[in-house]
Amino acid sequence: MNDHFGFAFDFDLAELAPADTASEEAVERFWSGDLTALSQHHTTPNGSHSFVIAHDQSATWGVPGAPQVMAIAVARDLNRFTYALETSHHATVSFAQNWLVERGCPPEKIAKVRDGLLKPADDLTVWVERQIRESGTRYEVLDNHTSDSDPCETWTLTRDSRANEAPIRVFHEEWDHDAGTYTMREGAFADVGAARAWLDDRSGPLPEPPEYSDHNGAVVRARVARIALARSAGVSATPKASMDAPRTPPAGPVQRPVQGRLL
């Protein structure tokens, strides 16, 4: 359930013990006073897992460019009376969603965000965000930056493990507060140096990924068209799951994003 956004960040841990040192330290550092829930999902009926995305107001007066979106994952072992708690900061909601999906949250359960926020400006934005959300460990996050004043934007610098060409990808999000919307675009570069050069001077448009224009371009256009049809019908473009249980995370180690900012 993620239709109730007045969440007080009470994870019902009072009668549980931390499962490990990392969880104990995470709880000690956790401060909810600066957090506003943007999306959440709690498993039913026994409440074994909680997944929350929140805006961290404290980041706005911290290190310039620091990510402001926090993802929180709580797993409760009700047989052993223990819990595991993890948090991670991201530049955008879609990368926070991806982090939670990798920890077992069904993507369609965390896709909806609270009312009153900026809306996607177009169908391509919706498609790019879903691609990030459901990408697994495809994108290795190398750096990110958030600016909530002129320009109002975020960018996330990544390495695409599936790209045969231009594997360095920049996901650029721009906010238009007057229109109440935002856009998300993906750019492709041969190397990190080229990507940083574009981020520094913005001398031209963000270069589109090669797959947007080759034989796969038809696939991209078809997927965007399906999203447009779903949005016009007023339904979610994300497939529905049949169960409310957490997804099984992929086998093997989970790739952790590396936080940072443009130096």
Side-chain angles (χ1 to χ4, degrees), residues 92 94-95 119-132 139 153-158 168-175 181-189 198-199 205-209 212 220 224 231:
T92 68
S94 50
F95 275 99
K119 303 295 185 182
D122 51 31
D123 302 318
L124 182 56
T125 294
V126 176
W127 181 78
V128 173
E129 288 190 305
R130 187 170 73 177
Q131 175 177 290
I132 295 169
Y139 299 109
E153 65 172 20
T154 73
W155 54 257
T156 303
L157 179 66
T158 73
I168 302 302
R169 301 298 167 94
V170 170
F171 292 93
H172 183 224
E173 181 183 68
E174 288 187 284
W175 314 326
T181 61
Y182 67 93
T183 58
M184 174 74 85
R185 295 293 185 264
E186 178 185 4
F189 299 87
W198 184 88
L199 289 167
L206 186 64
E208 284 192 342
Y212 279 32
V220 173
V224 173
R231 293 181 77 202

Side-chain angles (χ1 to χ4, degrees), residues 66-78:
Q68 299 178 11
V69 180
M70 177 186 280
I72 307 162
V74 179
R76 306 173 191 84
D77 187 331
L78 302 180

Side-chain angles (χ1 to χ4, degrees), residues 72-130:
I72 307 162
V74 179
R76 306 173 191 84
D77 187 331
L78 302 180
N79 293 320
R80 298 181 178 179
F81 294 96
T82 61
Y83 67 86
L85 187 147
E86 293 182 274
T87 65
S88 181
H89 278 81
H90 306 267
T92 68
V93 168
S94 50
F95 275 99
Q97 291 167 334
N98 170 265
W99 188 85
L100 291 176
V101 169
E102 283 302 287
R103 280 150 183 80
C105 184
E108 72 282 353
K109 295 294 185 179
I110 205 69
K112 179 178 173 59
V113 296
R114 64 182 298 166
D115 293 333
L117 302 178
L118 299 182
K119 303 295 185 182
D122 51 31
D123 302 318
L124 182 56
T125 294
V126 176
W127 181 78
V128 173
E129 288 190 305
R130 187 170 73 177

Side-chain angles (χ1 to χ4, degrees), residues 2 4 6 8 10 29 37 50 64 110 117 122-124 143 152 202 205 213 229 231 237-238 244 251 255 259-260:
N2 60 353
H4 175 60
D10 180 4
R29 293 193 307 267
S50 291
I110 205 69
L117 302 178
D122 51 31
D123 302 318
L124 182 56
D143 199 359
C152 294
R202 312 293 176 95
S213 57
L229 181 62
R231 293 181 77 202
T238 306
D244 197 27
Q255 192 170 8
Q259 303 301 334

Side-chain angles (χ1 to χ4, degrees), residues 204-259:
L206 186 64
E208 284 192 342
E211 57 267 25
Y212 279 32
S213 57
D214 65 10
H215 65 280
N216 290 320
V219 176
V220 173
R221 289 190 294 273
R223 289 174 178 171
V224 173
R226 285 198 296 271
I227 289 173
L229 181 62
R231 293 181 77 202
S232 65
V235 299
S236 172
T238 306
K240 302 296 183 184
S242 59
M243 298 179 64
D244 197 27
R247 294 170 67 250
T248 301
V254 175
Q255 192 170 8
R256 296 293 196 266
V258 178
Q259 303 301 334

Side-chain angles (χ1 to χ4, degrees), residues 1-2 39-44 49-53 104-106 109-110 243-246:
M1 58 181 180
N2 60 353
S39 185
Q40 60 183 298
H41 171 61
H42 307 280
T43 56
T44 56
H49 290 74
S50 291
F51 305 97
V52 180
I53 295 174
C105 184
K109 295 294 185 179
I110 205 69
M243 298 179 64
D244 197 27

